[in-house]
């Protein structure tokens, strides 16, 4: 059971230590963005030679990663920031982290969780982006006992925060957008509110807590739109059929795809309403149309 000390634990203010995992597009923005806001940022890059490449790049560019910020087209700006430490070894950076930011493909969650598990300090929050794709299930399998003792929170958010693209690895990134608002689910579920509060402070955006990870899984986002669109495009496919053109995913979104997207949406809502009714958790309006 969670002790009274664990229940009342409050995260460092105003600047917790952040650890960004990986060296992909999102990390290239998160590192300088958080550093420029005053946070101490470490990087755990365990994949391939990412840590070595990132370290080499930042050593040759003392100001760190340079961000071309065009979120406001009428007022473009530039800023830079660098991490305190970059390492391929989780023991170098994970024990210092109050919050771990993981913007990774969902298939990478398990391996990263297993790598960092021995090095987590008590009360760390892990933020997984995307929150869908089985984040909570993998977290329960890997961290189950730690979570049950109240020593760890794993939170997932939706939507993905950033639209960005690396221009030069470790040195320059194009930053097009940071979403305005997010919804967050956590395990344990009663830690969703404090996890949302901390992430809201870090991102400087509104983050609303949800009652259960099922609300994230059934949310109106890519899993609703993408299968419907692909079925609308290719449900009549037969071996040997040749298409006149390579279809555009959104620009030529048609009525057939829209009808399937609506059917998926209606089914999502029905499933969530039954979960709320039978399991006595959450609110019907937590999962949008």
């Amino acid at each position: 059971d969670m002790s009274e000390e664990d229940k009342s634990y409050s995260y460092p203010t105003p600047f917790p230590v952040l650890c960004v995992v990986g060296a992909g597009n999102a990390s290239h923005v998160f590192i300088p963005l958080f550093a420029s806001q005053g946070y101490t940022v470490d990087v755990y890059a365990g994949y391939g030679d990412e840590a070595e490449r990132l370290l080499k790049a930042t050593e040759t560019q003392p100001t760190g990663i340079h961000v071309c910020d065009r979120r406001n087209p009428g007022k473009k700006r530039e800023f830079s920031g660098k991490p305190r430490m970059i390492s391929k070894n989780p023991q170098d950076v994970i024990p210092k982290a109050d919050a771990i930011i993981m913007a990774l493909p969902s298939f990478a969650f398990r391996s990263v969780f297993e790598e960092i598990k021995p090095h987590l300090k008590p009360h760390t929050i892990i933020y997984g982006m995307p929150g869908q794709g089985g984040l909570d299930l993998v977290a329960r399998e890997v961290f189950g006992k730690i979570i049950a003792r109240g020593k760890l929170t794993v939170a997932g958010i939706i939507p993905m925060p950033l639209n960005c693209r690396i221009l030069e690895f470790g040195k320059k990134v194009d930053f097009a957008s940071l979403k305005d608002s997010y919804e967050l689910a956590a395990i344990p579920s009663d830690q969703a509110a404090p996890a949302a509060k901390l992430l809201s402070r870090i991102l400087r955006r509104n983050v609303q807590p949800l009652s259960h990870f099922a609300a994230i899984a059934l949310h109106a986002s890519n899993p609703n739109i993408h299968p419907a669109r692909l079925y609308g495009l290719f449900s009549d496919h037969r071996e040997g059929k040749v298409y006149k053109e390579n279809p555009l995913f959104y620009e030529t979104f048609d009525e057939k795809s829209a009808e399937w997207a609506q059917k998926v949406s209606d089914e999502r809502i029905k499933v969530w309403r039954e979960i709320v009714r039978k399991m006595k958790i959450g609110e019907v309006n937590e999962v949008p149309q």
Side-chain angles (χ1 to χ4, degrees):
D1 292 339
M2 192 181 299
S3 69
E4 290 303 314
E5 177 187 355
D6 293 328
K7 291 178 182 178
S8 62
Y9 183 82
S10 59
Y11 292 92
T13 56
F15 297 121
V17 174
L18 307 180
C19 181
V20 174
V21 176
N25 290 301
S27 295
H28 269 66
V29 170
F30 281 146
I31 293 165
L33 179 64
F34 299 151
S36 69
Q37 293 172 357
Y39 291 95
T40 298
V41 181
D42 293 328
V43 179
Y44 169 52
Y47 178 75
D49 63 350
E50 281 187 337
E52 182 182 354
R53 292 169 60 209
L54 190 60
L55 184 60
K56 184 176 180 180
T58 55
E59 286 175 346
T60 59
Q61 188 162 284
T63 56
I65 298 173
H66 185 80
V67 181
C68 302
D69 183 355
R70 57 183 179 91
R71 286 177 288 172
N72 181 352
K75 194 177 180 181
K76 296 180 182 179
R77 72 185 188 105
E78 298 182 354
F79 65 91
S80 299
K82 64 186 303 182
R84 174 180 65 176
M85 181 180 291
I86 301 165
S87 183
K88 185 182 181 68
N89 302 310
Q91 63 266 29
D92 294 338
V93 289
I94 296 301
K96 304 169 187 176
D98 298 303
I100 297 171
I101 312 292
M102 294 177 44
L104 300 171
S106 55
F107 67 77
F109 286 149
R110 180 179 297 276
S111 61
V112 172
F113 284 171
E114 290 173 347
E115 290 159 6
I116 69 176
K117 180 180 177 180
H119 311 290
L120 294 165
K121 76 174 185 179
H123 308 295
T124 299
I125 301 180
I126 298 174
Y127 292 102
M129 308 172 188
Q132 296 173 323
L135 172 67
D136 55 320
L137 302 179
V138 176
R140 289 182 189 279
E141 289 181 5
V142 177
F143 299 129
K145 292 182 179 179
I146 304 173
I147 292 171
R149 293 198 299 267
K151 299 296 185 180
L152 175 68
T153 298
V154 178
I157 72 166
I158 195 167
M160 289 292 284
L162 301 169
N163 182 357
C164 58
R165 184 68 57 188
I166 296 170
L167 299 176
E168 185 177 0
F169 187 90
K171 293 187 175 183
K172 194 173 185 179
V173 62
D174 176 59
F175 182 18
S177 68
L178 175 66
K179 308 295 191 329
D180 288 330
S181 62
Y182 306 88
E183 291 174 298
L184 175 150
I187 48 175
S189 58
D190 62 2
Q191 293 302 299
K197 183 178 180 180
L198 180 60
L199 187 63
S200 179
R201 203 169 84 215
I202 293 169
L203 293 180
R204 300 181 178 180
R205 292 292 190 271
N206 180 46
V207 182
Q208 290 295 323
L210 297 174
S211 62
H212 196 277
F213 251 101
I216 287 275
L218 292 168
H219 208 277
S221 58
N222 291 348
N224 190 144
I225 300 168
H226 289 189
R229 175 56 172 150
L230 292 173
Y231 192 77
L233 284 169
F234 301 120
S235 60
D236 63 347
H237 179 74
R238 298 292 182 271
E239 186 176 352
K241 180 173 181 177
V242 177
Y243 294 86
K244 294 180 180 179
E245 59 183 10
N246 184 13
L248 299 174
F249 196 88
Y250 289 110
E251 289 84 347
T252 59
F253 209 98
D254 56 14
E255 284 297 323
K256 183 179 180 181
S257 300
E259 288 173 3
W260 280 106
Q262 186 60 57
K263 290 177 181 179
V264 173
S265 180
D266 293 343
E267 190 166 297
R268 283 190 304 103
I269 298 303
K270 288 179 181 178
V271 171
W272 175 246
R273 286 176 176 169
E274 282 301 294
I275 290 173
V276 172
R277 184 179 69 84
K278 291 184 176 182
M279 304 304 295
K280 310 300 181 185
I281 61 169
E283 301 292 337
V284 169
N285 62 5
E286 283 185 76
V287 173
Q289 291 279 356

mmCIF file of all heavy atoms in Angstrom, residues 158-185:
data_model
loop_
_atom_site.group_PDB
_atom_site.id
_atom_site.type_symbol
_atom_site.label_atom_id
_atom_site.label_comp_id
_atom_site.label_asym_id
_atom_site.label_seq_id
_atom_site.Cartn_x
_atom_site.Cartn_y
_atom_site.Cartn_z
ATOM 1 N N ILE A 158 -2.347 12.475 -24.824
ATOM 2 C CA ILE A 158 -2.841 12.583 -26.183
ATOM 3 C C ILE A 158 -3.299 14.030 -26.370
ATOM 4 O O ILE A 158 -3.847 14.616 -25.428
ATOM 5 C CB ILE A 158 -3.993 11.588 -26.417
ATOM 6 C CG1 ILE A 158 -4.281 11.411 -27.908
ATOM 7 C CG2 ILE A 158 -5.242 11.952 -25.668
ATOM 8 C CD1 ILE A 158 -5.179 10.222 -28.206
ATOM 9 N N PRO A 159 -3.029 14.667 -27.489
ATOM 10 C CA PRO A 159 -2.343 14.176 -28.683
ATOM 11 C C PRO A 159 -0.823 14.241 -28.524
ATOM 12 O O PRO A 159 -0.321 14.738 -27.515
ATOM 13 C CB PRO A 159 -2.810 15.155 -29.774
ATOM 14 C CG PRO A 159 -2.958 16.452 -29.044
ATOM 15 C CD PRO A 159 -3.510 16.063 -27.680
ATOM 16 N N MET A 160 -0.102 13.790 -29.542
ATOM 17 C CA MET A 160 1.341 13.996 -29.570
ATOM 18 C C MET A 160 1.595 15.503 -29.586
ATOM 19 O O MET A 160 0.938 16.242 -30.322
ATOM 20 C CB MET A 160 1.953 13.334 -30.793
ATOM 21 C CG MET A 160 1.972 11.830 -30.741
ATOM 22 S SD MET A 160 3.099 11.178 -29.475
ATOM 23 C CE MET A 160 4.689 11.422 -30.263
ATOM 24 N N PRO A 161 2.547 15.980 -28.789
ATOM 25 C CA PRO A 161 2.664 17.433 -28.603
ATOM 26 C C PRO A 161 3.185 18.219 -29.804
ATOM 27 O O PRO A 161 2.754 19.348 -30.025
ATOM 28 C CB PRO A 161 3.664 17.559 -27.440
ATOM 29 C CG PRO A 161 3.666 16.231 -26.771
ATOM 30 C CD PRO A 161 3.384 15.237 -27.851
ATOM 31 N N LEU A 162 4.114 17.648 -30.570
ATOM 32 C CA LEU A 162 4.914 18.460 -31.481
ATOM 33 C C LEU A 162 4.708 18.124 -32.947
ATOM 34 O O LEU A 162 4.422 16.997 -33.314
ATOM 35 C CB LEU A 162 6.411 18.274 -31.173
ATOM 36 C CG LEU A 162 6.880 18.640 -29.765
ATOM 37 C CD1 LEU A 162 8.302 18.150 -29.562
ATOM 38 C CD2 LEU A 162 6.797 20.137 -29.539
ATOM 39 N N ASN A 163 4.886 19.161 -33.762
ATOM 40 C CA ASN A 163 5.090 18.989 -35.195
ATOM 41 C C ASN A 163 6.453 19.596 -35.483
ATOM 42 O O ASN A 163 6.626 20.826 -35.399
ATOM 43 C CB ASN A 163 3.991 19.705 -35.984
ATOM 44 C CG ASN A 163 4.128 19.512 -37.486
ATOM 45 O OD1 ASN A 163 5.081 18.891 -37.957
ATOM 46 N ND2 ASN A 163 3.198 20.069 -38.238
ATOM 47 N N CYS A 164 7.438 18.764 -35.788
ATOM 48 C CA CYS A 164 8.807 19.250 -35.918
ATOM 49 C C CYS A 164 9.613 18.293 -36.789
ATOM 50 O O CYS A 164 9.187 17.170 -37.045
ATOM 51 C CB CYS A 164 9.468 19.396 -34.547
ATOM 52 S SG CYS A 164 9.508 17.850 -33.592
ATOM 53 N N ARG A 165 10.769 18.749 -37.216
ATOM 54 C CA ARG A 165 11.616 17.928 -38.076
ATOM 55 C C ARG A 165 13.078 18.318 -37.909
ATOM 56 O O ARG A 165 13.416 19.494 -37.942
ATOM 57 C CB ARG A 165 11.206 18.106 -39.543
ATOM 58 C CG ARG A 165 11.951 17.216 -40.535
ATOM 59 C CD ARG A 165 11.596 15.765 -40.356
ATOM 60 N NE ARG A 165 10.176 15.484 -40.472
ATOM 61 C CZ ARG A 165 9.605 14.316 -40.214
ATOM 62 N NH1 ARG A 165 10.363 13.302 -39.797
ATOM 63 N NH2 ARG A 165 8.312 14.144 -40.352
ATOM 64 N N ILE A 166 13.930 17.316 -37.698
ATOM 65 C CA ILE A 166 15.371 17.556 -37.599
ATOM 66 C C ILE A 166 15.886 18.087 -38.937
ATOM 67 O O ILE A 166 15.612 17.509 -39.989
ATOM 68 C CB ILE A 166 16.128 16.268 -37.232
ATOM 69 C CG1 ILE A 166 15.718 15.777 -35.832
ATOM 70 C CG2 ILE A 166 17.642 16.479 -37.296
ATOM 71 C CD1 ILE A 166 16.244 14.392 -35.503
ATOM 72 N N LEU A 167 16.631 19.187 -38.887
ATOM 73 C CA LEU A 167 17.283 19.728 -40.076
ATOM 74 C C LEU A 167 18.735 19.279 -40.155
ATOM 75 O O LEU A 167 19.243 18.997 -41.237
ATOM 76 C CB LEU A 167 17.197 21.259 -40.076
ATOM 77 C CG LEU A 167 15.777 21.847 -40.090
ATOM 78 C CD1 LEU A 167 15.833 23.363 -39.999
ATOM 79 C CD2 LEU A 167 15.019 21.414 -41.346
ATOM 80 N N GLU A 168 19.391 19.239 -39.004
ATOM 81 C CA GLU A 168 20.757 18.736 -38.918
ATOM 82 C C GLU A 168 20.898 18.062 -37.559
ATOM 83 O O GLU A 168 20.725 18.715 -36.522
ATOM 84 C CB GLU A 168 21.777 19.858 -39.080
ATOM 85 C CG GLU A 168 23.211 19.367 -39.116
ATOM 86 C CD GLU A 168 24.219 20.478 -39.354
ATOM 87 O OE1 GLU A 168 23.807 21.647 -39.495
ATOM 88 O OE2 GLU A 168 25.421 20.172 -39.396
ATOM 89 N N PHE A 169 21.214 16.784 -37.555
ATOM 90 C CA PHE A 169 21.190 16.001 -36.322
ATOM 91 C C PHE A 169 22.054 16.642 -35.239
ATOM 92 O O PHE A 169 23.233 16.935 -35.438
ATOM 93 C CB PHE A 169 21.670 14.575 -36.566
ATOM 94 C CG PHE A 169 21.503 13.676 -35.378
ATOM 95 C CD1 PHE A 169 20.339 12.960 -35.193
ATOM 96 C CD2 PHE A 169 22.508 13.555 -34.419
ATOM 97 C CE1 PHE A 169 20.173 12.144 -34.086
ATOM 98 C CE2 PHE A 169 22.349 12.739 -33.309
ATOM 99 C CZ PHE A 169 21.176 12.033 -33.144
ATOM 100 N N GLY A 170 21.418 16.852 -34.068
ATOM 101 C CA GLY A 170 22.128 17.388 -32.923
ATOM 102 C C GLY A 170 22.403 18.873 -32.974
ATOM 103 O O GLY A 170 22.930 19.444 -32.009
ATOM 104 N N LYS A 171 22.016 19.514 -34.080
ATOM 105 C CA LYS A 171 22.381 20.924 -34.238
ATOM 106 C C LYS A 171 21.215 21.840 -34.578
ATOM 107 O O LYS A 171 21.154 22.971 -34.090
ATOM 108 C CB LYS A 171 23.457 21.066 -35.321
ATOM 109 C CG LYS A 171 24.800 20.457 -34.940
ATOM 110 C CD LYS A 171 25.867 20.785 -35.972
ATOM 111 C CE LYS A 171 27.233 20.271 -35.522
ATOM 112 N NZ LYS A 171 28.299 20.640 -36.482
ATOM 113 N N LYS A 172 20.269 21.357 -35.389
ATOM 114 C CA LYS A 172 19.242 22.271 -35.873
ATOM 115 C C LYS A 172 17.938 21.528 -36.101
ATOM 116 O O LYS A 172 17.925 20.429 -36.649
ATOM 117 C CB LYS A 172 19.707 22.940 -37.172
ATOM 118 C CG LYS A 172 18.895 24.143 -37.606
ATOM 119 C CD LYS A 172 19.568 24.820 -38.804
ATOM 120 C CE LYS A 172 18.843 26.102 -39.185
ATOM 121 N NZ LYS A 172 19.507 26.781 -40.342
ATOM 122 N N VAL A 173 16.812 22.154 -35.694
ATOM 123 C CA VAL A 173 15.503 21.521 -35.831
ATOM 124 C C VAL A 173 14.459 22.566 -36.222
ATOM 125 O O VAL A 173 14.508 23.712 -35.776
ATOM 126 C CB VAL A 173 15.100 20.814 -34.510
ATOM 127 C CG1 VAL A 173 14.975 21.803 -33.366
ATOM 128 C CG2 VAL A 173 13.810 20.011 -34.674
ATOM 129 N N ASP A 174 13.545 22.165 -37.082
ATOM 130 C CA ASP A 174 12.418 23.006 -37.485
ATOM 131 C C ASP A 174 11.245 22.710 -36.552
ATOM 132 O O ASP A 174 10.842 21.559 -36.396
ATOM 133 C CB ASP A 174 12.029 22.696 -38.931
ATOM 134 C CG ASP A 174 10.805 23.467 -39.376
ATOM 135 O OD1 ASP A 174 10.845 24.701 -39.341
ATOM 136 O OD2 ASP A 174 9.801 22.812 -39.748
ATOM 137 N N PHE A 175 10.703 23.737 -35.934
ATOM 138 C CA PHE A 175 9.661 23.617 -34.915
ATOM 139 C C PHE A 175 8.413 24.322 -35.425
ATOM 140 O O PHE A 175 8.337 25.547 -35.454
ATOM 141 C CB PHE A 175 10.175 24.249 -33.620
ATOM 142 C CG PHE A 175 9.253 24.175 -32.438
ATOM 143 C CD1 PHE A 175 8.194 23.286 -32.378
ATOM 144 C CD2 PHE A 175 9.467 25.012 -31.349
ATOM 145 C CE1 PHE A 175 7.358 23.226 -31.274
ATOM 146 C CE2 PHE A 175 8.640 24.963 -30.238
ATOM 147 C CZ PHE A 175 7.587 24.079 -30.199
ATOM 148 N N ALA A 176 7.413 23.528 -35.867
ATOM 149 C CA ALA A 176 6.226 24.095 -36.502
ATOM 150 C C ALA A 176 5.066 24.320 -35.537
ATOM 151 O O ALA A 176 4.316 25.291 -35.684
ATOM 152 C CB ALA A 176 5.770 23.197 -37.644
ATOM 153 N N SER A 177 4.899 23.419 -34.553
ATOM 154 C CA SER A 177 3.752 23.603 -33.648
ATOM 155 C C SER A 177 3.919 22.822 -32.357
ATOM 156 O O SER A 177 4.592 21.793 -32.313
ATOM 157 C CB SER A 177 2.444 23.172 -34.335
ATOM 158 O OG SER A 177 2.414 21.782 -34.539
ATOM 159 N N LEU A 178 3.299 23.363 -31.314
ATOM 160 C CA LEU A 178 3.140 22.699 -30.020
ATOM 161 C C LEU A 178 1.664 22.782 -29.693
ATOM 162 O O LEU A 178 1.112 23.881 -29.577
ATOM 163 C CB LEU A 178 3.973 23.398 -28.943
ATOM 164 C CG LEU A 178 3.817 22.898 -27.511
ATOM 165 C CD1 LEU A 178 4.346 21.479 -27.381
ATOM 166 C CD2 LEU A 178 4.541 23.819 -26.523
ATOM 167 N N LYS A 179 1.020 21.630 -29.597
ATOM 168 C CA LYS A 179 -0.430 21.621 -29.404
ATOM 169 C C LYS A 179 -0.843 22.434 -28.165
ATOM 170 O O LYS A 179 -0.095 22.554 -27.204
ATOM 171 C CB LYS A 179 -0.928 20.191 -29.260
ATOM 172 C CG LYS A 179 -0.483 19.221 -30.360
ATOM 173 C CD LYS A 179 -1.032 19.549 -31.705
ATOM 174 C CE LYS A 179 -0.819 18.445 -32.742
ATOM 175 N NZ LYS A 179 0.349 17.605 -32.634
ATOM 176 N N ASP A 180 -2.066 22.947 -28.202
ATOM 177 C CA ASP A 180 -2.522 23.857 -27.153
ATOM 178 C C ASP A 180 -2.998 23.154 -25.886
ATOM 179 O O ASP A 180 -2.912 23.714 -24.793
ATOM 180 C CB ASP A 180 -3.667 24.738 -27.674
ATOM 181 C CG ASP A 180 -3.176 25.775 -28.668
ATOM 182 O OD1 ASP A 180 -2.013 26.207 -28.552
ATOM 183 O OD2 ASP A 180 -3.959 26.158 -29.560
ATOM 184 N N SER A 181 -3.533 21.942 -26.019
ATOM 185 C CA SER A 181 -4.097 21.268 -24.847
ATOM 186 C C SER A 181 -3.959 19.757 -24.991
ATOM 187 O O SER A 181 -3.862 19.229 -26.106
ATOM 188 C CB SER A 181 -5.568 21.654 -24.652
ATOM 189 O OG SER A 181 -6.338 21.243 -25.768
ATOM 190 N N TYR A 182 -3.997 19.081 -23.819
ATOM 191 C CA TYR A 182 -3.743 17.636 -23.783
ATOM 192 C C TYR A 182 -4.645 16.982 -22.754
ATOM 193 O O TYR A 182 -5.153 17.633 -21.832
ATOM 194 C CB TYR A 182 -2.277 17.357 -23.417
ATOM 195 C CG TYR A 182 -1.310 18.075 -24.308
ATOM 196 C CD1 TYR A 182 -0.893 19.371 -24.009
ATOM 197 C CD2 TYR A 182 -0.848 17.490 -25.478
ATOM 198 C CE1 TYR A 182 -0.040 20.061 -24.846
ATOM 199 C CE2 TYR A 182 0.013 18.164 -26.324
ATOM 200 C CZ TYR A 182 0.407 19.450 -25.998
ATOM 201 O OH TYR A 182 1.246 20.131 -26.834
ATOM 202 N N GLU A 183 -4.799 15.679 -22.911
ATOM 203 C CA GLU A 183 -5.466 14.870 -21.904
ATOM 204 C C GLU A 183 -4.507 13.770 -21.478
ATOM 205 O O GLU A 183 -3.730 13.262 -22.301
ATOM 206 C CB GLU A 183 -6.777 14.316 -22.446
ATOM 207 C CG GLU A 183 -7.797 15.434 -22.631
ATOM 208 C CD GLU A 183 -9.067 14.971 -23.296
ATOM 209 O OE1 GLU A 183 -9.005 14.513 -24.442
ATOM 210 O OE2 GLU A 183 -10.140 15.088 -22.664
ATOM 211 N N LEU A 184 -4.558 13.430 -20.201
ATOM 212 C CA LEU A 184 -3.563 12.537 -19.610
ATOM 213 C C LEU A 184 -4.228 11.491 -18.743
ATOM 214 O O LEU A 184 -5.123 11.806 -17.948
ATOM 215 C CB LEU A 184 -2.570 13.369 -18.797
ATOM 216 C CG LEU A 184 -1.498 12.659 -17.977
ATOM 217 C CD1 LEU A 184 -0.246 13.533 -17.875
ATOM 218 C CD2 LEU A 184 -1.982 12.298 -16.565
ATOM 219 N N ALA A 185 -3.783 10.257 -18.888
ATOM 220 C CA ALA A 185 -4.188 9.173 -17.990
ATOM 221 C C ALA A 185 -2.940 8.627 -17.316
ATOM 222 O O ALA A 185 -1.834 8.743 -17.846
ATOM 223 C CB ALA A 185 -4.910 8.073 -18.761
#
